[in-house]
Each structure stands twice: as C-alpha cells, then as structure tokens.
Amino acid sequence: MRNRLAMVLGPIFALTGFSALTLQVVWQRVISLHSGVDLASTTTVVAAFLAGLGFGSLLGGWLADRLGPRRSLILFALANVGIGVFAWISLLLFYDLYRELVPHLSSTFASFCFNTAILLVPTTLMGLSLPLVARAVTSSVSDAGPLIGRMYGVNTIGAGAGAAVAGWHLLGTYGFENTTRIAGTLNVVAALLIYLTYRAVEATPSTAGANQPVAAATTTVADDERKAGVSESGGQGERVWPWFAIYGLTGAVALGFEQLFFRVIDAEMRSNSYSFAHVLMLYLLLFGVGSAIGARLLQRGGDPRRWFLWMQFSVGITALLAIVVLVQVLPLSGYLDEQLRHYFAGEGYNGGFGTIDTFKEWAKVIGVYGAIPLGLMGAPVLLMGMSFPCVQALVSHRVDSLGRRTGALLFANIVGNVVGTLLTGFVLIDVFGTAGTYRLLTLALGIAGVAAAWLVAPPRRIIAVGAVIVVLAGVVGVSPSNHRLWAFMHGADNDEILLAEDHACAATVKFEEERAVLYINASIQNGHPFDDFHVLIGLVPALAHPQPEKALAIGLGIGSTTYGMLRDPRLREVETVELCGGEYDLIRDLADQGRTEFSLMLDDPRYIQGVGDGRKFLLERDDRYDIVTVDTLRSTSAFSGSLYSREFYELVASHLTDDGIVAQWIPTPRVANTAAQVFPYMLAFRVDDYNDGSVFFLGSHSPLVLDRAAMIKRLESAAAGSFSPEQLGRLQAFIATAPTFCYTNGTVLTGVPSDQENLDLRPRDEYFINNAAGTTLPNC
C-alpha cells in the first residue's frame, strides 16, 4: 500500500515543487526592486530563503515522527494551504509594505531582517514537505534511500519545470502578481489532492496488521530493527552523525559549483531576461533525474558509503573536466575553433532572438541554450542528485526516527549551502577568480575520493589512493587559468583582454585594433575612444542646465557618460554608482596605458566613485541632484525592468531639484511612453550615426529651454584636450543643429494603454518574447 501511495503522491509532490520554484523566481525578482541586485542583497535573500527551508526541515522531521504516516499527510495538506494563502497576499508584503517602511530599512541588515521575517513563513511550510512525505510513504528501512530519493527527484523535477514555465512564460505573460496567484492556487489544489489521497488511504482495507495503531506499528518495526543489530546511533553499531556533517560540507561545495555554473553559462549565453530561469531549470531537472537514477542504483545493492564518496569525487572531476574540454580540447579542431571564436566574439542573444527560421539558426540556439550548458553542468549535477539517496540510506536506520533523520539531513545540507554561497561569493571568486575557484572546489572533493579509495580492500587500497591523487592532479594541472578562461569566453587570445573579476561580475576590456571595448560577464557594453552617443547623454543635460552643481550617474560603463558630465566645469560634484566594481579597476588600467580621457576623469577632484545597485542607492539616500543620468542598458537584459519602470522614474523624479534634468537612452517606444507619464517636460534627441539612429531623452519638472549658443560656449570652456578636434567638431554641430521632438510639454502623457508601459510588477520590455513591441504616443 505504501508503494501505491508513493505513486499517487509523486505527481502531487511534483506539483508542489513546480509552485515552490515559481514563487521563488517571482519573490527574488520582486525583492530585488528594493534590496538591489548586487551580491550583498541577493545573498541575503538566498540566505533568508534557505533559513526557512532549513528550519522547516527540522520541524517537519520532528512532527512527522510524532504524527506518524497518515497524519503526516494531513499536515502536508495544511502546509500547502498555508503556502497558497500566503502566495496570494505575498506581494502586498514584499512590495507594498516595503515601500511604506523603506525609510526605516535603509541598511542591509534591516532589509535582511524584513525579508527574513516574511520569507520565514512560506519557506518553513515548504521545508516541512519532504520529511512529512518521507514518513508517509516509507514502511521499512530498506526502502528509505530508494523511495525517498525517488520522491525527492520527482519534487525537484517539478521544481525545474516550475522554473522553466515561470521564467519563459508566466512572468512575461501575466506579470509578477498574477503569477504568484497562479502558483498559490496550485498549492491549494495540491492540498485538496493530498486530502483526497488521505481519505482513500483511510478507506483502504488493511492487510497483515496494517490496521494497527500507528505508534504500535512503528514500535514493532523498531523492535525488529533492534533485533537485527541496528543501534539508535546508526546501523550495525555505526554512528551516523559524520554523514550529516559530510553532507553539509558537500552541500557547501555544491552551492559553490552552482554559482560558478551560473557565472560561466550566463556569460556563454550573453544573458537576457530568460537565461537565469533557463539555467535554473536545467540544474533542477538534472538534479531530480540524478536523484531518481541514484534511487534505482541503490536498489541493486552495493555499499552506499562508497557510492556516495565516489560520486562526490566525480562531481569535482567532471565539473573541472567540462571546462577543460570547452576551453582546451574543442578548439583543437580547426572547424570548432572557428565556430566557437565567431560566436564568443559576438553578442549572442543579449539583444533578443530575432528571427530564427533556418536550420543553422536553430542549431545555434540549441547549442547555446542546450548543448553547452548541459556539457558544462550535466555530469556533475546528475552526480549531485544521484548521491542523495545514498546518504539518505546511510542515516535511515529506524522508521520511527525517519522524519527526524530526513529533516536533519536536509538541514545539514542547507547550512552547507548557505556557507558555500557566502564563502564562494564573497571570498573565493574575489581571491581566486572563476577558474581558480573551480580548481579549489575540485580539490576539496578530492578528499571524498581519497576516503572512497581508503574503503577499498587493503591489498588494493594504496593503488586506489594513488590513482585518485594522479587523476586529481592531472585534471587540475591541465585546467585553464582564469585569464585564459575569460579570453576564450570573448573569442580572444590572452593578450587581447584586460580582466577584473570580483564577486559581482567579470569585467573585461577587449582590444579590437585601436578600440577598447567593455564587456560585463561577456556581454558587450560600450568602448573607447568614446562614441558621441554615450558622451552626449552626460554632456547635453549638463550643458542645458542653467547652473548645475551636483550630478549622479547610475552606471559607469566604460565611463563615457560620466566623462561627458565632467566636461562642464560648473559642476562641483559628479558621483557614479556602479554595480560592477571591477569597471573602476579597468579604467585605471586604461589610464595607465596613456588613454587621456580616463586620466582626466580619475584625476578630477569632483569625481566620486561608488559601488552598488543604483536603484537601491536612490532608495537609501535623500540627496537631490541637478543632473541624473542612467547609463545605457539593453531593455532585454535581466533586471532591466528595474530601470525602465514608471516607479523607477518616479523615484528619480523625487531626487531631482526643481529644475533638475534626467537623461536616459530610449531603447523602445514603451520606455518613452512610461517616462512621459512621470515627467511633465520631456525632449528627445536622435543620434543618427550611432546604431542606425539611437535616441535619448531629457526629462524634468520644469520647462526644458535649450539655449544652444550658451551650450556651445559652455562646451568650449571645457579643459583643453577633452576631445579630439574631430569629435569636438561633431559635438558642436550636434548641439547647434540637432532637431528635437517632445513627448510632454507641461503635462504628463495620459491615456496610455496598460500594455504600452513598464511597471515594477509588469516589466514588459524585459520579457520581450511575451510582449509585442510598444508604440510611441507623443502628445506634442
């Protein structure tokens, strides 16, 4: 009957996994609107989320053993009702309540406490799930590892499907609020199905003593186990606590590798808004399939200790080997080397997918989104999943303590996850870079390999240990350096890039003849010599303002927009806030190469550098600025909705002086419509010789009067040598003659259809596949 119950609960458990990851994807995206997308903020959110899951696992294990199998089903149903109800009201807390309390939540610690307090409720309920299900479906110790492994695999596969459907369809089609309601409704449906299952179990005629009271039946099983020589501390006298510790340590390494997978694959994909959910989907599906495979292997017998240790050793070896194959082996083929260089030297799908109507284009998409990511993380993540049933079997020696053991095992792993996330994100990548951290984590799992070899019979033990050391040293020895890895990701040779990697990003300058082009996580930005368009976004608002004193640039890029603002000597302070701190290191390197503009910028006493999320910076500050520029960001990039929403423009407007001016690129008509609903005065300029005519706007509370003669005079007063004679001539001609067109001239734009604007909770341009291109609705 327990096997039939597991078959019935499997799809329901998958449904709860689907809902859980859908909610996680939405909640993390919404929380980023006020906590930011820098590592400190995202890590605190992940830590808060995991804390709830860990606490829920412990609590669920304790409750499962007290309640017994059948009543565990009832609690599982009630937990899903709670998750569903919370989901329906969650954005009122994460978004609306936060906006009310934001004056009191300016510090990272205060924000962490707020997010933890709210996340603790649903994540604790989510954490209850596996211990309760494990207690409900497991009737004997011999079934614990395989059966719980299969159930965990099914739940994880459901979670992978949730990440895929939410990321590719739900968020972009229905928005954040409706997506949480859909997920919450699924939890309530799951609760109903669980209750119906419980009723069916209650109504099933019992056989062979199954109608005994739960406590009595449990005691009988426990007595049988003790008669077989199984102690409370473990099996056959073996203590199990070391396996909890080991699984915690391997959990730390696993999350370290997960961060590395995301960094490398995100760079390989030239990230857009769909990339994160896609990688998360692949990771979870691989882990879930691995858990199911591990459960099947365990049923065939063998020592689970050896299985677990060899699998963990293989996780490190296969993860590092994948990098070796991609960077060192595939380029040995002339054809593949040419194809890889051609792709990695380009922009990929950063700006969208365009028209994919040929076999060659489809093959490229499948390679970028399928073959390469699976090649990089397929084997190690499968092995991570396969190891779970083994360690579950190692700690499951009594049915009456199965819930507690399962909960404690998950808790130990989650604690390791948190430690691994913090250590890798804040320390290892900063010190060793991506490639060095790959090697370090592989060496850490080499200890598991040595331990597995030590379990080999004595005559072959030394040979096995030696083989492990040789394999480990060989793979580490042939792995690429960090500089080589990132040069490859840009389709370049080692001497063609400058690299500055830290926990926030990998910032790279690639030299293309005389031009130095900036890349962030392998996605192209802008370059030097500075193009007119980026300079004008900073220069025009500064020159147009009658008397500017204080300016802010949200985003640095290669520095051209900030440089443009600094050309106006009337400004006494120009501050930048940049998420990727490595960009500051790169512009210092470029200054050392003799590129004059960077020296002028860095030596200017008015220039102030800041590292962090720009939107969060504005939320936490009361300063007001005469000029605010938002450095250009593709509207298709992940998290771009934070900088193109109506609420963001309202935030910027609240930091402008009465005659202050904001300037930003207009990547889509919908962006123009959205900004025009906030700024009563809004002018736009078209720069014809940049990307076939890019447009930027000026917005203000006050009338925008362009005294072109005065603007040219102010430009000419800039320090000598600020621009080449050719560029100075182009800038003067643009300021003197460039036509303008307006969106608003005294009143904000009204009557805009809802599908023609971007909102914090409905960033349509960011999810470009799900939303048709916007249209411009000027009223002047």
Side-chain angles (χ1 to χ4, degrees):
M1 187 181 71
R2 294 291 180 86
N3 288 333
R4 292 197 300 270
L5 177 61
M7 292 178 63
V8 173
L9 279 180
I12 302 173
F13 204 26
L15 185 65
T16 63
F18 182 100
S19 172
L21 257 292
T22 298
L23 290 171
Q24 181 181 352
V25 169
V26 178
W27 288 342
Q28 286 190 239
R29 181 64 179 80
V30 173
I31 290 172
S32 73
L33 292 168
H34 54 252
S35 293
V37 297
D38 59 331
L39 185 72
S41 298
T42 55
T43 300
T44 57
V45 172
V46 170
F49 204 95
L50 290 174
L53 293 177
F55 177 71
S57 297
L58 282 180
L59 180 61
W62 181 78
L63 290 171
D65 289 337
R66 289 183 63 86
L67 295 173
R70 294 184 178 180
R71 283 182 290 178
S72 290
L73 282 180
I74 291 295
L75 184 56
F76 183 38
L78 291 175
N80 277 280
V81 172
I83 296 168
V85 171
F86 184 92
W88 270 78
I89 65 170
S90 60
L91 297 196
L92 292 174
L93 303 173
F94 287 127
Y95 186 76
D96 296 280
L97 179 60
Y98 192 96
R99 295 182 78 186
E100 294 293 324
L101 298 178
V102 69
H104 310 291
L105 301 173
S106 59
S107 69
T108 299
F109 178 74
S111 179
F112 173 75
C113 291
F114 175 84
N115 291 325
T116 301
I118 296 178
L119 281 170
L120 200 61
V121 175
T123 54
T124 297
L125 294 174
M126 292 175 185
L128 296 175
S129 299
L130 186 60
L132 293 174
V133 171
R135 191 68 181 90
V137 301
T138 307
S139 57
S140 67
V141 168
S142 61
D143 289 338
L147 195 53
I148 297 172
R150 284 200 299 271
M151 295 301 290
Y152 190 39
V154 165
N155 181 257
T156 307
I157 290 171
V165 175
W168 283 99
H169 180 66
L170 296 179
L171 271 67
T173 303
Y174 302 109
F176 299 159
E177 191 166 19
N178 288 332
T179 299
T180 59
R181 292 172 178 172
I182 291 171
T185 301
L186 291 178
N187 278 106
V188 175
V189 170
L192 177 61
L193 294 174
I194 296 164
Y195 177 70
L196 293 176
T197 301
Y198 167 79
R199 293 294 301 271
V201 170
E202 286 290 291
T204 300
S206 301
T207 60
N211 59 347
Q212 299 178 66
V214 170
T218 301
T219 302
T220 300
V221 173
D223 289 340
D224 290 342
E225 291 169 346
R226 279 192 286 271
K227 290 175 184 177
V230 178
S231 69
E232 288 194 23
S233 60
Q236 303 296 339
E238 176 191 339
R239 294 188 177 277
V240 299
W241 67 262
W243 294 107
F244 290 108
I246 291 169
Y247 200 47
L249 294 173
T250 58
V253 176
L255 259 290
F257 270 126
E258 183 181 5
Q259 285 187 290
L260 298 178
F261 294 151
F262 278 128
R263 172 155 290 195
V264 174
I265 296 173
D266 180 67
E268 176 264 329
M269 288 183 174
R270 300 329 197 219
S271 175
N272 58 44
S273 301
Y274 299 93
S275 299
F276 173 77
H278 183 76
V279 176
L280 188 60
M281 170 200 72
L282 293 176
Y283 186 94
L284 291 169
L285 290 178
L286 288 165
F287 194 99
V289 170
S291 185
I293 294 173
R296 179 62 62 89
L297 290 175
L298 195 61
Q299 285 181 312
R300 296 183 178 182
D303 186 348
R305 298 175 304 166
R306 293 183 183 179
W307 277 110
F308 177 78
L309 293 171
W310 280 125
M311 286 176 184
Q312 290 298 320
F313 173 64
S314 299
V315 166
I317 294 297
T318 55
L320 190 54
L321 266 179
I323 293 294
V324 172
V325 170
L326 179 65
V327 179
Q328 311 280 56
V329 177
L330 292 182
L332 296 177
S333 164
Y335 174 76
L336 286 176
D337 183 51
E338 180 183 350
Q339 295 299 313
L340 290 169
R341 278 182 174 268
H342 180 267
Y343 171 75
F344 284 116
E347 298 184 33
Y349 299 107
N350 181 277
F353 291 96
T355 301
I356 305 174
D357 55 4
T358 66
F359 174 80
K360 185 176 180 180
E361 282 298 316
W362 276 112
K364 182 179 177 181
V365 171
I366 292 170
V368 170
Y369 276 78
I372 295 179
L374 288 173
L376 287 170
M377 67 178 180
V381 178
L382 277 172
L383 288 162
M384 289 177 192
M386 290 170 64
S387 67
F388 173 75
C390 298
V391 74
Q392 177 72 54
L394 288 168
V395 302
S396 302
H397 296 295
R398 291 178 52 178
V399 172
D400 60 340
S401 63
L402 184 63
R404 281 170 288 169
R405 290 284 176 84
T406 301
L409 185 66
L410 293 175
F411 178 78
N413 189 250
I414 289 171
V415 170
N417 292 164
V418 174
V419 172
T421 299
L422 296 174
L423 186 61
T424 302
F426 284 108
V427 180
L428 299 184
I429 291 178
D430 278 356
V431 176
F432 301 103
T434 297
T437 305
Y438 256 101
R439 288 192 289 271
L440 188 64
L441 296 181
T442 299
L443 288 170
L445 290 180
I447 298 172
V450 172
W454 198 255
L455 294 176
V456 174
R460 294 178 295 170
R461 179 178 295 167
I462 299 302
I463 296 174
V465 171
V468 166
I469 294 173
V470 168
V471 169
L472 192 61
V475 174
V476 170
V478 299
S479 62
S481 67
N482 202 48
H483 198 89
R484 177 62 203 135
L485 171 63
W486 286 106
F488 174 85
M489 299 300 291
H490 293 78
D493 294 326
N494 288 7
D495 59 354
E496 293 177 328
I497 69 165
L498 294 175
L499 174 65
E501 185 181 14
D502 60 18
H503 56 264
C505 69
T508 310
V509 165
K510 180 181 176 182
F511 296 103
E512 301 172 357
E513 296 180 350
E514 297 299 318
R515 189 163 176 78
V517 182
L518 174 69
Y519 292 78
I520 302 299
N521 296 334
S523 293
I524 191 169
Q525 308 299 312
N526 49 352
H528 181 269
F530 297 148
D531 60 78
D532 296 350
F533 180 74
H534 288 86
V535 170
L536 287 166
I537 291 177
L539 183 65
V540 169
L543 299 179
H545 195 284
Q547 191 55 53
E549 294 187 1
K550 191 174 183 180
L552 171 69
I554 297 177
L556 173 67
I558 197 113
S560 47
T561 300
T562 299
Y563 182 79
M565 287 192 291
L566 283 166
R567 295 313 92 208
D568 191 333
R570 298 174 300 159
L571 280 165
R572 60 177 177 82
E573 180 181 302
V574 176
E575 187 171 9
T576 61
V577 55
E578 168 55 51
L579 189 64
C580 184
E583 291 182 19
Y584 295 118
D585 297 327
L586 291 179
I587 65 173
R588 291 188 189 95
D589 291 339
L590 292 170
D592 292 340
Q593 290 186 356
R595 295 181 183 252
T596 308
E597 292 90 341
F598 298 107
S599 298
L600 289 173
M601 184 165 59
L602 294 172
D603 294 339
D604 196 320
R606 300 172 299 159
Y607 178 44
I608 302 171
Q609 296 179 346
V611 177
D613 180 272
R615 181 172 175 139
K616 183 182 178 184
F617 177 88
L618 290 177
L619 282 169
E620 296 176 351
R621 298 281 287 267
D622 295 325
D623 304 56
R624 299 184 67 175
Y625 300 90
D626 299 300
I627 309 294
V628 174
T629 64
V630 185
D631 197 49
T632 55
L633 175 70
R634 286 185 176 89
S635 59
T636 55
S637 298
F639 298 99
S640 65
S642 299
L643 300 180
Y644 290 118
S645 69
R646 186 173 68 190
E647 293 85 352
F648 172 70
Y649 292 129
E650 291 169 348
L651 179 62
V652 171
S654 70
H655 284 78
L656 287 175
T657 57
D658 291 340
D659 55 356
I661 301 174
V662 60
Q664 187 186 33
W665 177 37
I666 300 178
T668 70
R670 194 179 275 118
V671 169
N673 295 335
T674 305
Q677 293 178 75
V678 176
F679 299 105
Y681 297 93
M682 188 169 160
L683 295 176
F685 298 81
R686 180 184 177 92
V687 183
D688 292 321
D689 61 355
Y690 185 79
N691 284 350
D692 298 322
S694 293
V695 179
F696 68 94
F697 77 85
L698 305 183
S700 181
H701 304 294
S702 303
L704 290 164
V705 179
L706 298 180
D707 186 341
R708 295 180 184 257
M711 292 171 66
I712 292 175
K713 185 176 180 180
R714 292 163 188 161
L715 174 60
E716 292 172 346
S717 68
S722 294
F723 302 104
S724 68
E726 295 79 11
Q727 186 171 33
L728 179 60
R730 294 195 305 270
L731 296 175
Q732 289 172 325
F734 181 90
I735 293 170
T737 63
T740 63
F741 53 97
C742 71
Y743 289 99
T744 59
N745 191 21
T747 57
V748 297
L749 189 63
T750 58
V752 176
S754 60
D755 65 343
Q756 296 301 312
E757 64 173 328
N758 292 308
L759 302 172
D760 275 353
L761 301 181
R762 193 71 170 83
R764 289 179 171 86
D765 280 335
E766 183 179 339
Y767 293 92
F768 55 93
I769 292 178
N770 311 85
N771 297 279
T775 57
T776 304
L777 301 172
N779 69 340
C780 62

